[in-house]
Amino acid sequence: GDVFHYWGFQKATANDLDRLMNYVLTQMNSADAAAIASEMQRVSPDQQWGVWGAGPAMTPGNKNGWSQEQGGWVINSVGFAGAGARFTLAIMNALGGEGGYDDGVATTTRLSQILLS
């Protein structure tokens, strides 16, 4: 849009992102869904955090996001893990000045590890 012209500034809730992930995995054309899932499973090493905390045995795939706002860092992760991408997860972590980027990455990764492994 005219106001928020970057993907990272689109407004969404964790529930919105989880529904999007489930739509991709269950409602899209199977070839398109497989292509998206494959790309999410091959993110670069510096993006292997957040949902990636499920661990390699869970074959996770993720898309992470981050921004530094006036009140601190906002760190998000959405993705899937498990056989057949059985589990989906979306985490939105607004640190509100109580930590930096690395703290947000560690928090989203640890939450994913607890919930998915």
Side-chain angles (χ1 to χ4, degrees):
D2 293 334
V3 177
F4 298 106
H5 51 276
Y6 296 108
W7 165 249
F9 290 105
Q10 301 306 308
K11 295 184 185 266
T13 66
N15 191 44
D16 292 334
L17 295 175
D18 191 60
R19 284 195 326 261
L20 175 61
M21 189 79 269
N22 278 288
Y23 176 82
V24 167
L25 295 171
T26 65
Q27 302 297 312
M28 283 185 76
N29 167 289
S30 61
D32 293 338
I36 291 169
S38 177
E39 289 299 317
M40 292 176 73
Q41 289 176 312
R42 293 192 318 235
V43 295
S44 66
D46 65 339
Q47 289 288 305
Q48 293 178 3
W49 52 268
V51 175
W52 209 267
M58 294 288 283
T59 59
N62 71 305
K63 172 63 181 109
N64 297 323
W66 58 92
S67 65
Q68 190 170 18
E69 310 270 327
Q70 290 180 346
W73 281 92
V74 176
I75 307 291
N76 304 316
S77 186
V78 62
F80 57 86
R86 179 176 178 193
F87 305 105
T88 61
L89 181 62
I91 300 171
M92 301 185 92
N93 182 12
L95 299 174
E98 297 295 323
Y101 173 87
D102 292 335
D103 297 311
V105 167
T107 299
T108 58
T109 303
R110 181 67 178 130
L111 283 170
S112 297
Q113 183 182 34
I114 291 167
L115 295 170
L116 296 171
S117 61

